[in-house]
Amino acid sequence: MFDLKGKVAVVTGGNGGIGLGMAQGLAAAGAQIVVAARNREKSRAAATEIERRGGTAIAIDVDVTSEASVDAMTKATMERLGRLDILVNNAGTNIRKPVHDLTLDEWRLVLDTNLTSAFLCSRAAYPAMKRAGGGKVINIGSMMSIFGAPFAPVYGASKGGIVQLTKSLATTWARDNIQVNAVLPGWIDTELTQKARREVPGLNEMVLRRTPAARWGVGEDMAGIAVFLASSASDFITGTAIPVDGGYSIQV
Ligand code: NDP
């Protein structure tokens, strides 16, 4: 039920953090991985790390904010691996400022990286999935898909948008046997949140106090949900947004 042998999975932002944790899970279940991000050296190192653990992975450059780059990445995946069954829209960024200090360029950069990217990558992957008779799209939301914070106005807008985009894609492509779901990670220890810890005073203490599991998540915590949502085990699940958060979102 969880076997992904013969499948190809593109993981945007798969060269570190949550993306790499998911990629490792998908690779362990048998999928061939495309690590798709901007930093080529980091992507190659991630692919090597996946192969060191017995998986199969290649690195393909992409800037998910660019339509041309996304289309080229999809084309390169088809040329090199011949199929595209699983797409993880994980690439993301944040600019932490109160809304009244945010410039329009900053707003656009975060929306383009976190939300428009999921539209571009999903649209580019659709023909291959349709032709193959099905596929899986996994979009990465956030606790900011549910909650608000003064330091995350545009990030929250982008991650709220991810949940609604997920529902639109899910309803549109259900008859093509393409399931589209979102994952809402809690607080995961990655480069992104290392930066957040430096920028938001008291964040570490708040996360430890408010998370029932009383710890930060790690990349490996995201592997199981990726395999589940990429496999036939989830064939009748679509349009959902599943928190993977150590209980953060269910405790006042
Ligand atoms: P990281 O900073 O480790 O990962 C971000 C990834 O996105 C990197 O691989 C980066 O690669 C890639 N990326 C950024 N911009 C672009 C771009 N324009 N084109 C292609 N790739 C890009 O952070 P996380 O692992 O924490 O974040 C991964 C996702 O998880 C994000 O969507 C984030 O919002 C989300 N998330 C994280 C949480 C956490 O607590 N850590 C909680 C909830 C959600 P490169 O720089 O090489 O391009």
Side-chain angles (χ1 to χ4, degrees):
M1 198 188 280
F2 298 105
D3 189 5
L4 299 179
K5 266 192 227 68
K7 306 285 187 191
V8 169
V10 170
V11 183
T12 69
N15 63 14
I18 289 175
L20 183 54
M22 288 192 154
Q24 289 284 17
L26 297 172
Q32 283 182 282
I33 308 298
V34 176
V35 175
R38 293 166 305 181
N39 184 327
R40 184 175 296 174
E41 215 171 287
K42 211 174 148 194
S43 296
R44 286 200 178 140
T48 303
E49 179 57 22
I50 291 168
E51 300 220 318
R52 195 184 60 77
R53 293 209 206 164
T56 311
I58 61 168
I60 296 181
D61 295 346
V62 71
D63 177 349
V64 294
T65 65
S66 154
E67 183 177 27
S69 179
V70 166
D71 290 346
M73 179 264 293
T74 312
K75 190 160 171 264
T77 300
M78 295 306 289
E79 279 168 5
R80 292 176 66 180
L81 301 178
R83 48 191 303 134
L84 201 179
D85 307 279
I86 300 155
L87 169 66
V88 183
N89 284 314
N90 163 79
T93 193
N94 197 358
I95 296 174
R96 294 175 195 85
K97 283 185 178 180
V99 69
H100 43 265
D101 291 338
L102 207 58
T103 68
L104 182 56
D105 282 346
E106 290 169 334
W107 172 270
R108 286 192 172 131
L109 176 69
V110 176
L111 273 190
D112 284 354
T113 309
N114 295 5
L115 179 59
T116 309
S117 60
F119 154 63
L120 291 176
C121 293
S122 303
R123 188 185 63 177
Y126 174 66
M129 291 184 179
K130 186 176 163 64
R131 247 193 334 270
K136 302 280 189 177
V137 179
I138 303 171
N139 295 325
I140 306 305
S142 163
M143 288 297 103
M144 298 301 166
S145 302
I146 308 172
F147 301 111
F151 55 83
V154 62
Y155 186 82
S158 72
K159 295 300 187 177
I162 276 285
V163 171
Q164 291 307 115
L165 176 66
T166 298
K167 292 176 189 174
S168 294
L169 299 179
T171 52
T172 311
W173 294 340
R175 282 168 192 245
D176 296 314
N177 190 33
I178 299 168
Q179 289 80 45
V180 187
N181 290 286
V183 173
L184 312 184
W187 293 94
I188 315 298
D189 187 11
T190 66
E191 276 180 25
L192 194 73
T193 47
Q194 286 291 343
K195 188 160 176 273
R197 281 195 221 194
R198 292 192 295 274
E199 290 177 357
V200 183
L203 180 65
N204 183 44
E205 295 68 28
M206 184 279 286
V207 168
L208 296 178
R209 189 180 68 249
R210 272 217 46 194
T211 305
R215 67 169 175 86
W216 286 74
V218 291
E220 292 76 30
D221 287 318
M222 309 307 294
I225 191 73
V227 173
F228 174 61
L229 291 178
S231 70
S232 63
S234 60
D235 278 355
F236 202 51
I237 300 174
T238 199
T240 61
I242 303 176
V244 179
D245 64 352
Y248 184 90
S249 60
I250 50 85
Q251 176 167 275
V252 278

